[in-house]
Amino acid sequence: MNGPAFTRKVRVQVPATSANLGPGFDCLGLALSLHDVIEAWIEPGGLSIGVSGEGAGTADAGEAHLVVRAMRATFKILDGQPPGLALRCRNQIPHGRGLGSSAAAIVSGVLAARALTEDGEARLPDAAVLALAAEFEGHPDNVAACLLGGLTVAWTGADGPRAVKLSPLPAIVPAVFIAPEPLSTEHARGVLPDVVPHADAAANAGRSALLIAALTSDFGRDLDVRLGTLLAATEDRLHQPYRAAVMPETAGLVGRLRAAGVPAVVSGAGPSVLAFLASQDALDSTLRDMGIGWDISALDVDRQGASIQSVTPGSEGGTVPQGGTSP
Ligand code: HSE
């Protein structure tokens, strides 16, 4: 088979994501308005990497750089490596904080390699992108939200990982409390037990269903009712209690926020914290007085998901969102 032809340059933007959202371990994800942007193009030979912003030190990683690894794996599936590759990353997503930086790197790499290959989309359809990214990441929740945007529910069936996208109510404001130090997901997954009590699994199943309802249905127009429902819906017994020992500050902050009536959870595998606020103002009125030393940002939900621009000489090209359909 002939190798693929390559187009000239692509730009891919990918959102941060918060996974689990409390009870939805390894299945729920929310895309957030914090982004990494990569530009990639074909060179006559070699590999050149530039990284600015978060993770700037990863530029020296060469072939081991996560975006490059994802690109190489994708090119391999598409039947051919380019002669040389250049990559520039502008990163806003903090690394190792539970905000989906690795999912963002993987998704951007897979989409960039696919877009650089002229018939890439035909060779690697969207469902295959999700499957490849989830295989790289080890679980589908972050990569699904990163690809599709909005609120996602991911699962793995006989035919591989799948996801659906939902639209959270605009009134709900996600706020992230960014932990000052990173913690590896591998470490945070290593403390989880192989077996959990049936009652805990049942409690989480109910809470996950309630959480989807509370985030997407306008049944509780009264603010207190909505926050009370979200507080109940974000309870978790499957991962946060086990992880508390390796992230005591995170567990303490989640506990303080919840005691103050704020629906707060560990963001992904931690150590950052995600809270659902009723408005941007709540950031001042509820949280400023609590003396929380971590950076706090009220964000928007990213409703578009990953987007790709083909940049050809003399033209900036058009943006193609990847989040419009479920793969
Ligand atoms: N669901 C994953 C976990 C998210 O909690 O380990 C990791 O980002």
Side-chain angles (χ1 to χ4, degrees), residues 45 51 56 85 99 105 111 116 141 155 163 180 226 263 266 274 296 299 319:
V51 182
L85 191 60
L99 291 168
L111 290 178
L116 278 170
D141 45 1
W155 73 99
R226 182 184 303 287
V266 176
L274 172 77
I296 310 173
L299 300 172
T319 301

Side-chain angles (χ1 to χ4, degrees), residues 19-20 25-26 139 141-142 185 189 243 268-269:
N20 302 330
F25 181 73
D26 275 2
H139 40 88
D141 45 1
N142 289 97
T185 299
R189 288 180 85 83
R243 287 172 160 169

Side-chain angles (χ1 to χ4, degrees), residues 6-312:
F6 296 104
T7 57
R8 203 152 176 120
K9 183 175 183 179
V10 295
R11 183 179 302 138
V12 182
Q13 174 175 292
V14 281
T17 49
S18 186
N20 302 330
L21 311 183
F25 181 73
D26 275 2
C27 66
L28 299 185
L30 186 68
L32 300 169
S33 60
L34 199 63
H35 297 97
D36 286 352
V37 177
I38 71 162
E39 288 185 344
W41 63 95
I42 304 305
E43 293 279 15
L47 172 66
S48 135
I49 306 177
V51 182
S52 60
E54 299 288 340
T58 61
D60 295 337
E63 289 290 339
H65 193 283
L66 189 51
V67 176
V68 177
R69 283 172 47 215
M71 292 185 79
R72 293 297 189 202
T74 309
F75 284 132
K76 189 173 174 197
I77 290 171
L78 293 172
D79 291 334
Q81 300 293 334
L85 191 60
L87 175 67
R88 299 291 176 268
C89 307
R90 293 197 310 275
N91 295 340
Q92 285 187 327
I93 307 171
H95 285 198
R97 306 303 210 281
L99 291 168
S101 62
S102 62
I106 292 163
V107 168
S108 62
V110 172
L111 290 178
R114 183 177 76 160
L116 278 170
T117 307
E118 242 160 44
D119 56 352
E121 209 161 318
R123 292 179 179 217
L124 194 72
D126 288 348
V129 169
L130 176 64
L132 178 59
E135 188 187 332
F136 240 91
E137 175 84 330
H139 40 88
D141 45 1
N142 289 97
V143 294
C146 183
L147 266 169
L148 299 177
L151 169 67
T152 50
V153 185
W155 73 99
T156 303
D159 52 353
R162 302 290 304 274
V164 291
K165 174 182 180 178
L166 303 167
S167 189
L169 296 168
I172 294 168
V173 177
V176 289
F177 300 68
I178 299 176
E181 298 297 333
L183 182 75
S184 83
T185 299
E186 195 184 356
H187 187 44
R189 288 180 85 83
V191 298
L192 300 179
D194 291 334
V195 177
V196 295
H198 190 275
D200 290 352
N204 267 54
R207 295 302 199 278
S208 296
L210 181 62
L211 182 56
I212 294 298
L215 289 174
T216 59
S217 310
D218 211 1
F219 62 87
R221 286 172 192 280
D222 180 281
L223 208 56
D224 290 339
V225 172
R226 182 184 303 287
L227 284 177
T229 308
L230 277 170
L231 196 60
T234 47
E235 280 173 14
D236 163 66
R237 297 202 213 164
L238 290 190
H239 70 107
Q240 293 181 180
Y242 302 104
R243 287 172 160 169
V246 295
M247 50 185 92
E249 282 185 71
T250 303
L253 178 54
V254 169
R256 283 177 64 204
L257 288 166
R258 295 186 67 84
V262 179
V265 297
V266 176
S267 181
S272 296
V273 169
L274 172 77
F276 294 112
L277 307 180
S279 71
Q280 299 262 353
D281 296 346
L283 206 53
D284 294 321
S285 54
T286 312
L287 304 175
R288 296 287 179 210
D289 293 343
M290 290 179 70
I292 298 164
W294 294 5
D295 281 347
I296 310 173
S297 299
L299 300 172
D300 292 319
V301 173
D302 177 305
R303 293 170 191 273
Q304 176 179 255
S307 63
I308 304 170
Q309 256 189 324
S310 282
V311 185
T312 47

